[in-house]
Short mmCIF file of all heavy atoms in Angstrom, two decimals:
data_model
loop_
_atom_site.label_atom_id
_atom_site.label_comp_id
_atom_site.label_asym_id
_atom_site.label_seq_id
_atom_site.Cartn_x
_atom_site.Cartn_y
_atom_site.Cartn_z
N LEU A 502 -27.82 0.53 -11.39
CA LEU A 502 -28.83 0.90 -12.46
C LEU A 502 -28.41 2.18 -13.16
O LEU A 502 -28.79 2.44 -14.27
CB LEU A 502 -30.20 0.96 -11.88
CG LEU A 502 -30.46 1.93 -10.66
CD1 LEU A 502 -30.80 3.34 -11.11
CD2 LEU A 502 -31.56 1.37 -9.77
N GLU A 503 -27.64 3.04 -12.48
CA GLU A 503 -27.20 4.30 -13.07
C GLU A 503 -26.32 4.10 -14.31
O GLU A 503 -26.17 5.00 -15.15
CB GLU A 503 -26.47 5.17 -12.04
CG GLU A 503 -27.34 5.78 -11.01
CD GLU A 503 -27.69 4.81 -9.85
OE1 GLU A 503 -27.24 3.67 -9.88
OE2 GLU A 503 -28.38 5.29 -8.94
N PHE A 504 -25.69 2.94 -14.40
CA PHE A 504 -24.84 2.65 -15.59
C PHE A 504 -25.65 2.61 -16.89
O PHE A 504 -25.12 2.87 -17.94
CB PHE A 504 -24.07 1.36 -15.36
CG PHE A 504 -22.78 1.51 -14.62
CD1 PHE A 504 -22.75 2.20 -13.43
CD2 PHE A 504 -21.60 1.06 -15.14
CE1 PHE A 504 -21.55 2.41 -12.72
CE2 PHE A 504 -20.41 1.23 -14.48
CZ PHE A 504 -20.36 1.96 -13.25
N ASP A 505 -26.92 2.28 -16.76
CA ASP A 505 -27.78 2.30 -17.95
C ASP A 505 -27.89 3.71 -18.50
O ASP A 505 -27.85 3.98 -19.70
CB ASP A 505 -29.12 1.71 -17.64
CG ASP A 505 -30.06 1.66 -18.84
OD1 ASP A 505 -29.82 0.89 -19.79
OD2 ASP A 505 -31.03 2.51 -18.86
N GLU A 506 -28.01 4.66 -17.58
CA GLU A 506 -28.15 6.07 -17.97
C GLU A 506 -26.82 6.63 -18.53
O GLU A 506 -26.83 7.38 -19.48
CB GLU A 506 -28.54 6.90 -16.72
CG GLU A 506 -28.85 8.35 -17.04
CD GLU A 506 -30.00 8.55 -18.00
OE1 GLU A 506 -30.92 7.73 -17.99
OE2 GLU A 506 -29.99 9.50 -18.81
N ILE A 507 -25.71 6.19 -17.97
CA ILE A 507 -24.39 6.56 -18.49
C ILE A 507 -24.24 6.09 -19.90
O ILE A 507 -23.76 6.87 -20.78
CB ILE A 507 -23.25 6.03 -17.57
CG1 ILE A 507 -23.29 6.69 -16.18
CG2 ILE A 507 -21.89 6.25 -18.24
CD1 ILE A 507 -22.30 6.10 -15.24
N LEU A 508 -24.61 4.86 -20.16
CA LEU A 508 -24.48 4.32 -21.55
C LEU A 508 -25.38 5.10 -22.50
O LEU A 508 -24.98 5.36 -23.66
CB LEU A 508 -24.84 2.83 -21.63
CG LEU A 508 -24.66 2.16 -22.91
CD1 LEU A 508 -23.25 2.27 -23.44
CD2 LEU A 508 -25.08 0.67 -22.82
N LYS A 509 -26.56 5.46 -22.08
CA LYS A 509 -27.46 6.27 -22.94
C LYS A 509 -26.79 7.62 -23.28
O LYS A 509 -26.87 8.10 -24.42
CB LYS A 509 -28.80 6.52 -22.22
CG LYS A 509 -29.73 5.36 -22.09
CD LYS A 509 -30.97 5.68 -21.35
CE LYS A 509 -31.89 4.49 -21.19
NZ LYS A 509 -33.09 4.82 -20.35
N MET A 510 -26.14 8.24 -22.26
CA MET A 510 -25.46 9.54 -22.49
C MET A 510 -24.40 9.38 -23.57
O MET A 510 -24.29 10.20 -24.48
CB MET A 510 -24.86 10.05 -21.24
CG MET A 510 -25.86 10.45 -20.14
SD MET A 510 -24.93 11.02 -18.63
CE MET A 510 -26.30 11.21 -17.51
N ILE A 511 -23.61 8.35 -23.42
CA ILE A 511 -22.47 8.14 -24.34
C ILE A 511 -22.99 7.80 -25.75
O ILE A 511 -22.52 8.38 -26.75
CB ILE A 511 -21.54 7.03 -23.80
CG1 ILE A 511 -20.88 7.49 -22.52
CG2 ILE A 511 -20.48 6.69 -24.84
CD1 ILE A 511 -20.11 6.39 -21.82
N ASP A 512 -23.94 6.92 -25.84
CA ASP A 512 -24.47 6.52 -27.15
C ASP A 512 -25.23 7.66 -27.84
O ASP A 512 -25.29 7.67 -29.08
CB ASP A 512 -25.41 5.33 -27.03
CG ASP A 512 -24.64 4.01 -26.78
OD1 ASP A 512 -23.44 4.00 -26.99
OD2 ASP A 512 -25.30 3.01 -26.39
N GLY A 513 -25.65 8.60 -27.07
CA GLY A 513 -26.43 9.74 -27.65
C GLY A 513 -25.51 10.85 -28.11
O GLY A 513 -26.04 11.84 -28.77
N LEU A 514 -24.21 10.76 -27.92
CA LEU A 514 -23.31 11.80 -28.35
C LEU A 514 -23.13 11.81 -29.85
O LEU A 514 -23.07 10.73 -30.49
CB LEU A 514 -21.94 11.65 -27.66
CG LEU A 514 -21.88 11.91 -26.17
CD1 LEU A 514 -20.60 11.41 -25.59
CD2 LEU A 514 -22.03 13.43 -25.88
N ARG A 515 -22.97 13.01 -30.41
CA ARG A 515 -22.63 13.12 -31.88
C ARG A 515 -21.13 13.20 -32.04
O ARG A 515 -20.39 13.44 -31.07
CB ARG A 515 -23.31 14.34 -32.44
CG ARG A 515 -24.84 14.24 -32.43
CD ARG A 515 -25.48 15.48 -33.06
NE ARG A 515 -25.20 16.69 -32.32
CZ ARG A 515 -25.85 17.11 -31.24
NH1 ARG A 515 -26.92 16.40 -30.82
NH2 ARG A 515 -25.54 18.23 -30.64
N TYR A 516 -20.67 13.01 -33.27
CA TYR A 516 -19.23 12.93 -33.55
C TYR A 516 -18.48 14.12 -33.03
O TYR A 516 -17.39 13.98 -32.41
CB TYR A 516 -18.98 12.75 -35.04
CG TYR A 516 -17.56 12.55 -35.41
CD1 TYR A 516 -16.95 11.32 -35.33
CD2 TYR A 516 -16.76 13.67 -35.78
CE1 TYR A 516 -15.60 11.14 -35.66
CE2 TYR A 516 -15.43 13.48 -36.13
CZ TYR A 516 -14.82 12.25 -36.03
OH TYR A 516 -13.53 12.09 -36.34
#
Side-chain angles (χ1 to χ4, degrees):
L502 57 88
E503 287 82 0
F504 273 52
D505 182 70
E506 186 61 32
I507 292 174
L508 183 58
K509 287 179 183 176
M510 292 180 189
I511 295 171
D512 285 346
L514 290 167
R515 295 181 296 275
Y516 182 84

